[in-house]
Amino acid sequence: MSSPNLHPMLNVAVKAARAAGAIINRAALDVEAVRISQKQVNDFVTEVDHASEKAIIETLLGAYPGHGILAEESGSEYGAKDSDYVWIIDPLDGTTNFIHGFPVYCVSIALSVRGKIEQAVVYDPTRNDLFTATKGRGAYMNDRRIRVSKRTRLNECLISTGFPFRTGDNFKQYLAIMADMMPRAAGLRRPGAAALDLAYVAAGFTDAFFETGLNPWDVAAGSLLVTEAGGLIGNFTGEPDFLEQRECLAGAPRVYGQLVPLLAKYSKFANVDDKLRASDRVRAVSASTKASTDDASVDLYARSTVVDFADEAAEGSAAPAPAAAPAPRKLTRVRRDAPPAPRHGDGAPFEGDASSK
């Protein structure tokens, strides 16, 4: 059902998202029957992705035949090729979650007008949660205005992310990022659907989100939700033109400002000095994970990431003392020389006496 309060183009996008969500929900009733193929290692596509995308494109082009399309599965195959209006579509963000029956996935649709995102829909079919935004008109969840979190202290913040999973991803760098991030935050989460992660930042459910390796259809709709909810979004160095750059950081303004210095050195756009610092950090964290338990470097994680751990840092600056020999294990034995239990005159033990057993 269309809403008179929504922009006409956004109404059409909502209609398309709900049509796709109905397809996804029907397939989720028997997910074992869904045909699955693999685009690359750990990157899956299903017949549901294709059916959902087809329903979205038919709905959008039925209303706006002169618009362009950029979709995850079909690319720019459909729609006008030279239009200023381009719909950016992810028909099922979180496919890996979907095929395992893990209910964290969504439909993402955004409208780019001359390169700027002006309409956005993120629809979670499992919860029937609809996130919408029109540029300049605010962000909404189920027709209720949403705002980013008001938290300002990083150690109180819940941060979502996405782990690298493709061949060629820099796993060691991500370990270093997590080593820097986890001790500073209240918690780190990996739900598995970037568009929904961004919607949750906009709604204040989480305080920030960061990930690398993302495509425009993963973040286009969510980016408008975040900015219209009062948040900031950009690449790891804080630059706002991030859509094609395959790295994304979003959050409430005060939290965003604290995360940029942490992540900037890991950005592919970092300066030479920052990249050298990042390389040193990656090597240090990698070495600490390989160290044996009697190596002082196993404390590197705690000592070198959080300034609150000053005592540990001071201890770490001193020369390590030789490891003490392990104390011998003490064994506790059951005594078998307990005093004899009372017996009958004929020498037989009383009934129920433990010694009779």
Side-chain angles (χ1 to χ4, degrees):
M1 179 183 296
S2 63
S3 170
N5 298 322
L6 296 182
H7 188 284
M9 290 182 181
L10 188 59
N11 259 326
V12 174
V14 169
K15 180 181 177 182
R18 289 196 182 279
I23 292 170
I24 294 168
N25 278 342
R26 284 196 299 271
L29 296 175
D30 188 11
V31 73
E32 297 294 332
V34 174
R35 290 194 298 273
I36 303 166
S37 57
Q38 189 165 312
K39 291 187 280 189
Q40 54 181 311
V41 175
N42 294 331
D43 194 0
F44 302 97
V45 62
T46 71
E47 60 185 335
V48 179
D49 293 76
H50 292 292
S52 174
E53 184 171 290
K54 181 181 178 182
I56 293 169
I57 292 173
E58 287 178 351
T59 303
L60 296 176
L61 293 184
Y64 302 104
H67 287 192
I69 297 289
L70 175 62
E72 180 178 13
E73 308 306 336
S74 59
S76 302
E77 180 180 348
Y78 301 99
K81 307 304 179 188
D82 56 355
S83 176
D84 289 337
Y85 295 79
V86 178
W87 293 97
I88 304 174
I89 303 164
D90 192 338
L92 178 52
D93 188 22
T95 301
T96 301
N97 286 349
F98 171 76
I99 63 180
H100 287 84
F102 188 70
V104 181
Y105 42 82
C106 66
V107 179
S108 176
I109 304 173
L111 176 63
S112 171
V113 181
R114 289 179 285 277
K116 303 295 182 182
I117 307 300
E118 295 200 355
Q119 309 291 340
V121 175
V122 172
Y123 178 52
D124 177 354
T126 66
R127 297 168 184 79
N128 196 29
D129 283 340
L130 181 70
F131 299 86
T132 58
T134 295
K135 190 172 180 62
R137 295 192 185 182
Y140 294 82
M141 173 185 171
N142 301 328
D143 298 323
R144 178 180 60 84
R145 185 75 180 263
I146 54 176
R147 299 289 294 177
V148 295
S149 158
K150 295 180 180 179
R151 295 183 187 88
T152 59
R153 295 172 59 88
L154 197 56
N155 62 3
E156 297 174 353
C157 290
L158 186 64
I159 299 172
S160 58
T161 186
F163 302 147
F165 61 90
R166 301 176 182 89
T167 302
D169 285 344
N170 194 336
F171 292 94
K172 290 184 178 180
Q173 176 172 292
Y174 230 85
L175 287 176
I177 293 174
M178 292 176 66
D180 287 350
M181 194 73 67
M182 291 176 70
R184 288 181 162 88
L188 198 62
R189 300 289 183 268
R190 201 281 192 197
L196 204 54
D197 288 333
L198 289 169
Y200 281 9
V201 171
F205 300 159
T206 58
D207 303 285
F209 164 76
F210 70 94
E211 188 173 353
T212 61
L214 296 172
N215 293 297
W217 46 80
D218 296 313
V219 295
S223 68
L224 185 62
L225 291 172
V226 169
T227 55
E228 287 298 315
L232 297 175
I233 188 166
N235 64 16
F236 284 4
T237 63
E239 299 298 326
D241 295 327
F242 73 99
L243 202 60
E244 305 280 350
Q245 296 181 354
R246 298 182 67 80
E247 60 182 46
C248 175
L249 168 63
R254 295 281 294 274
V255 178
Y256 183 89
Q258 295 173 68
L259 292 178
V260 167
L262 287 176
L263 294 174
K265 63 179 176 291
Y266 298 109
S267 172
K268 60 184 178 181
F269 305 103
N271 59 43
V272 174
D273 290 340
D274 280 346
K275 287 183 177 180
L276 289 174
R277 288 173 52 225
S279 297
D280 290 343
R281 181 66 178 136
V282 169
R283 283 194 294 270
V285 171
S286 180
S288 72
T289 61
K290 297 176 183 177
S292 60
T293 55
D294 60 350
D295 188 343
S297 65
V298 297
D299 292 332
L300 179 144
Y301 172 86
R303 291 204 309 268
S304 62
T305 54
V306 182
V307 292
D308 292 342
F309 295 160
D311 293 340
E312 293 188 18
E315 292 174 7
S317 62
R329 296 179 62 187
K330 296 181 179 180
L331 302 179
T332 302
R333 302 186 62 173
V334 178
R335 294 181 60 84
R336 300 185 181 278
D337 54 350
R343 296 176 177 267
H344 291 287
D346 58 2
F350 287 111
E351 184 178 357
D353 178 23
S355 63
S356 65
K357 301 179 181 180

